[in-house]
Amino acid sequence: MQCRYIAALIAALIAALIAALIAALIAALLTSCGGGGPSTPTPIPTPDAVKNAALIDINALRFFAGCGPTWYGPAAALAWSATLESAASILVQTRAPPGANEILTHGHPAISETITLDLTPQDCAKLMNPAYTIVGVSSIGPGFDLYWAIELL
């Protein structure tokens, strides 16, 4: 009889420890993800912030020649084009299939995450193509529902 009591006590203690561990893990995950408190919406980048971040991040990627698993060799820095920015804005709003010199991605709120995490091998080949000399970038949507369009020429 005493063994059953001890076994039941141990089972209850284990269940309580597991529940406390799960609660602590959930709390830690919510805190690290920005949850568990008042919600702060992710700000939508301003056009100037997008332009500056895009130029820095894309040109760094081209300089270090690393996009995805393929090494392309360094490519010259791209210059900003307001005309291509307008074309990227149309692409990102219509979400039409991208053409030979266009990239359309979805998911990350920062251009740096987009170009390092979301690009397909075909997108990397476009971005690393040394024949391209100018770029325009646009985005639309909130937070992780953000779409990015990159136009190259």
Side-chain angles (χ1 to χ4, degrees), residues 43-129:
I44 296 174
T46 64
D48 284 341
V50 170
K51 173 183 171 179
N52 293 336
L55 276 175
I56 290 168
D57 294 336
I58 291 171
N59 284 329
L61 193 76
R62 287 171 60 91
F63 177 79
F64 290 109
C67 185
T70 305
W71 189 82
Y72 292 90
L78 299 170
W80 189 261
S81 166
T83 303
L84 290 183
E85 179 183 9
S86 296
S89 179
I90 293 168
L91 177 63
V92 80
Q93 290 175 35
T94 62
R95 298 189 188 105
N101 65 325
E102 300 172 323
I103 298 170
L104 182 64
T105 67
H106 173 249
H108 289 283
I111 188 71
S112 59
E113 294 167 332
T114 298
I115 64 173
T116 56
L117 301 173
D118 291 341
L119 298 185
T120 67
Q122 295 82 10
D123 292 339
C124 282
K126 292 176 188 179
L127 197 59
M128 297 303 297
N129 186 337

Side-chain angles (χ1 to χ4, degrees), residues 8-33:
L9 182 61
I10 290 172
L13 284 172
I14 290 172
L17 285 172
I18 290 172
L21 180 61
I22 290 172
L25 286 172
I26 290 172
L29 285 172
L30 284 173
T31 301
S32 68
C33 293

